[in-house]
Amino acid sequence: MKRITIEIDFAKYKSVKLPKDEAEKLLQTLTEILGKKPNDIQETLRYIKNFDEFFEYMRKKFKDYLAPPHRADDYIRGEAVVDKVKLLKRNNEKYVMIIFDRRVKEDLIRKALEQLGYEVEIKKVF
């Protein structure tokens, strides 16, 4: 079984780092669990599907993260899922770090990762 760590920082943002294809599957699984496809997940999927173009954009603009657009009412209703995304390349392999909104429950992320066949570990980084 594959292992993965959900890191929780001091501000309660949760993050996971996955290969590009697995990140896409994770977001699709989350939409199935939620029963809806929020705009920030749709936009994040667009970043992942067009990885090379957005990676170049990040590099040219000296950006570390891409933040999908959110409407204020998404935050008010607590419907924001993805806070920001980091696209990474290591030895010609593509990875995606997804930072989830602080109000997303770790159990939701854990459930989605377990459905993808991961053994999940929670690590609090303070």
Side-chain angles (χ1 to χ4, degrees):
M1 183 174 267
K2 305 176 278 188
R3 296 182 56 90
I4 192 161
T5 302
I6 299 173
E7 292 188 356
I8 304 173
D9 68 10
F10 67 94
K12 298 183 182 171
Y13 287 94
K14 293 111 186 134
S15 65
V16 294
K17 181 180 167 187
L18 295 159
K20 176 188 170 285
D21 296 335
E22 293 289 307
E24 193 173 338
K25 289 177 189 174
L26 171 62
L27 292 174
Q28 290 168 346
T29 303
L30 283 171
T31 59
E32 290 170 12
I33 293 170
L34 292 170
K36 57 186 172 186
K37 196 170 194 176
N39 291 334
D40 57 349
I41 289 182
Q42 289 178 12
E43 189 67 14
T44 304
L45 283 168
R46 189 170 77 89
Y47 297 159
I48 295 170
K49 288 177 182 175
N50 299 293
F51 186 96
D52 293 323
E53 290 82 10
F54 282 102
F55 183 82
E56 275 304 307
Y57 170 79
M58 286 175 56
R59 192 181 65 75
K60 285 180 181 176
K61 297 289 185 177
F62 301 103
K63 291 184 174 244
D64 289 330
Y65 297 93
L66 293 171
H70 294 98
R71 296 188 329 236
D73 57 331
D74 288 341
Y75 286 117
I76 293 168
R77 290 189 308 239
E79 292 183 359
V81 179
V82 177
D83 186 60
K84 55 189 170 185
V85 179
K86 186 171 190 171
L87 305 177
L88 306 157
K89 285 187 181 180
R90 301 271 193 261
N91 301 326
N92 293 328
E93 294 182 32
K94 298 173 184 177
Y95 293 93
V96 179
M97 178 183 286
I98 303 171
I99 294 90
F100 294 96
D101 188 74
R102 65 176 64 191
R103 289 188 274 181
V104 173
K105 304 287 185 225
E106 62 190 62
D107 292 337
L108 175 69
I109 303 167
R110 176 192 296 266
K111 181 178 179 181
L113 288 166
E114 287 173 349
Q115 284 184 15
L116 294 175
Y118 284 95
E119 183 179 323
V120 180
E121 175 187 338
I122 306 288
K123 180 180 177 185
K124 296 191 179 193
V125 183
F126 292 101

